Amino acid sequence: MSQDPRSPQLYRRSKRPSARPPSSAMASRPEDETKPAIRKITSLANDLIKDMRGLQSKKERAETGLFLAEGLKLVTDAFESGWRVTTLAYCDRVGQQSMVSQAVATALQRGTDVVEVSEAVLEKISRRDNPQMVVSVIAQQYADLAPEAIKGTWVALEGIKDPGNLGTIIRTVDSVGASGVILIDETTDPFAIEAVRATMGSLFHVPLVRMSRDAFARFNHAARVPVYATHLKGAVDYRSVNYPEPAILLMGNEQSGLNDAFVALATTVIKIPMAGQADSLNLAIATAVTLYEMRRSRLTL
Ligand code: SAM
């Protein structure tokens, strides 16, 4: 193991260009690289650590196409689902290394850059106390969805803002066996660390598709599948519908709900009855309740 945190490989990069491929510090190790397989980094000022920490910023994620995932489960899911893990940083806590050794072995096999770091470095990357033992850098993936190819139940989210809600919805889509998530317009970033955390690994199993409002309207026109919009003004009880597949469930923004233009795209506007004083359900809860009803007859224990 190399002890030198100022390895030349980490400092190949000088100035950051404004739009760039993954920096040399975060790119996968080339096949013919003869440097030691695992380097040790304890310096908080190390370039790789700065780059990893930078992935907390949306701008940096957009520029590099990379994101951070914390914990052993997430990196294991990423490897198993064939996602490209460019860097794996782990902390060798006393007596716990065997838990990460499998992930390290897989990472080395796949050409992932593996670095052993101190607890302080992990805290710096993930910006929290008691960080997970492993933090990885992974390449983002979005899927394409052709109108004629839509199958099953999809959830379309219009301009949602809360990363925790988005992560929870992705996890629910996975749990209920729905097909994927369409992110319409400026939604919160599914690769933000809070969203990734909330998916609990479902991020690697649920296709995510991005569309502008206009593209979604065109997609909807071409796909001709029933669209169920949820709205507080809905006149149809969500439990009274026989949901076919394929179908799209349309959910609105946390503050303003669904835009009228989107409500107009719906085949049916459904509502979850409200009995108490609350004026609406949390977005992720409303999505879960409706999705379980939509797929009820298709689910067994
Ligand atoms: N003030 C917003 C409004 O007037 O629509 C509330 C938005 S609510 C917090 C976020 C989203 O959750 C809504 O756009 C809708 O998709 C869904 N939702 C929440 N409660 C619902 C309910 N009782 N029936 C149908 N949809 C609901």
Side-chain angles (χ1 to χ4, degrees), residues 199-247:
T199 71
M200 295 291 286
S202 291
L203 176 69
F204 303 111
H205 311 297
V206 172
L208 302 177
V209 176
R210 277 188 300 193
M211 288 186 202
S212 65
R213 287 166 195 265
D214 289 349
F216 180 74
R218 286 195 301 275
F219 175 88
N220 186 44
H221 184 72
R224 298 195 175 281
V225 304
V227 174
Y228 299 95
T230 54
H231 203 284
L232 299 177
K233 292 188 185 143
V236 177
D237 185 321
Y238 82 112
R239 298 165 299 181
S240 67
V241 179
N242 275 327
Y243 297 98
E245 286 194 332

Side-chain angles (χ1 to χ4, degrees), residues 6-22:
R6 294 191 61 88
S7 140
Q9 186 190 8
L10 298 177
Y11 290 84
R12 198 179 298 153
R13 177 171 55 77
S14 50
K15 271 196 171 166
R16 295 178 179 200
S18 57
R20 61 177 198 275

Side-chain angles (χ1 to χ4, degrees), residues 4-301:
D4 177 16
R6 294 191 61 88
S7 140
Q9 186 190 8
L10 298 177
Y11 290 84
R12 198 179 298 153
R13 177 171 55 77
S14 50
K15 271 196 171 166
R16 295 178 179 200
S18 57
R20 61 177 198 275
S23 80
S24 56
M26 291 194 293
S28 301
R29 185 183 296 279
E31 296 285 324
D32 61 351
E33 185 79 65
T34 53
K35 290 200 166 65
I38 301 178
R39 287 163 293 127
K40 193 162 185 171
I41 299 176
T42 51
S43 163
L44 299 179
N46 180 282
D47 260 10
L48 173 62
I49 303 311
K50 282 196 212 155
D51 281 350
M52 288 180 76
R53 185 176 153 86
L55 293 175
Q56 298 269 5
S57 124
K58 186 174 182 179
K59 181 168 172 274
E60 202 80 0
R61 288 193 299 275
E63 281 181 9
T64 59
L66 300 171
F67 68 101
L68 285 178
E70 301 163 302
L72 205 48
K73 175 172 171 19
L74 288 193
V75 74
T76 306
D77 279 2
F79 279 133
E80 284 174 358
S81 313
W83 285 51
R84 191 167 64 86
V85 181
T86 64
T87 304
L88 184 143
Y90 73 97
C91 177
D92 184 10
R93 286 190 192 131
V94 181
Q96 294 188 345
Q97 199 189 345
S98 62
M99 290 167 66
V100 291
S101 56
Q102 184 55 49
V104 168
T106 309
L108 292 174
Q109 240 172 29
R110 307 257 177 115
T112 300
D113 191 21
V114 181
V115 289
E116 186 186 331
V117 297
S118 61
E119 185 117 10
V121 165
L122 271 191
E123 275 175 11
K124 170 134 181 172
I125 296 169
S126 57
R127 293 192 191 167
R128 54 175 181 167
D129 299 335
N130 297 319
Q132 302 262 358
M133 285 169 64
V134 173
V135 177
S136 47
V137 177
I138 303 176
Q140 300 175 18
Q141 284 187 29
Y142 284 99
D144 291 324
L145 180 63
E148 63 281 6
I150 186 166
K151 289 193 176 66
T153 298
W154 281 75
V155 177
L157 304 170
E158 190 213 354
I160 77 160
K161 296 290 174 234
D162 184 286
N165 273 343
L166 179 54
T168 305
I169 290 170
I170 292 170
R171 183 178 175 186
T172 306
V173 164
D174 188 16
S175 306
V176 78
S179 300
V181 177
I182 301 171
L183 303 168
I184 304 169
D185 215 38
E186 273 297 304
T187 61
T188 188
D189 183 358
F191 299 107
I193 200 152
E194 302 86 356
V196 174
R197 236 176 242 156
T199 71
M200 295 291 286
S202 291
L203 176 69
F204 303 111
H205 311 297
V206 172
L208 302 177
V209 176
R210 277 188 300 193
M211 288 186 202
S212 65
R213 287 166 195 265
D214 289 349
F216 180 74
R218 286 195 301 275
F219 175 88
N220 186 44
H221 184 72
R224 298 195 175 281
V225 304
V227 174
Y228 299 95
T230 54
H231 203 284
L232 299 177
K233 292 188 185 143
V236 177
D237 185 321
Y238 82 112
R239 298 165 299 181
S240 67
V241 179
N242 275 327
Y243 297 98
E245 286 194 332
I248 296 174
L249 171 64
L250 193 47
M251 306 297 302
N253 168 280
E254 291 90 342
Q255 273 77 45
S256 50
L258 267 181
N259 189 304
D260 287 348
F262 275 87
V263 177
L265 295 177
T267 322
T268 311
V269 183
I270 55 177
K271 179 172 180 178
I272 305 165
M274 304 284 297
Q277 300 304 306
D279 59 3
S280 66
L281 287 159
N282 160 275
L283 165 66
I285 301 281
T287 310
V289 167
T290 313
L291 268 184
Y292 267 93
E293 181 62 24
M294 290 180 82
R295 301 215 77 243
R296 184 157 59 100
S297 63
R298 299 165 183 94
L299 294 171
T300 50
L301 268 187

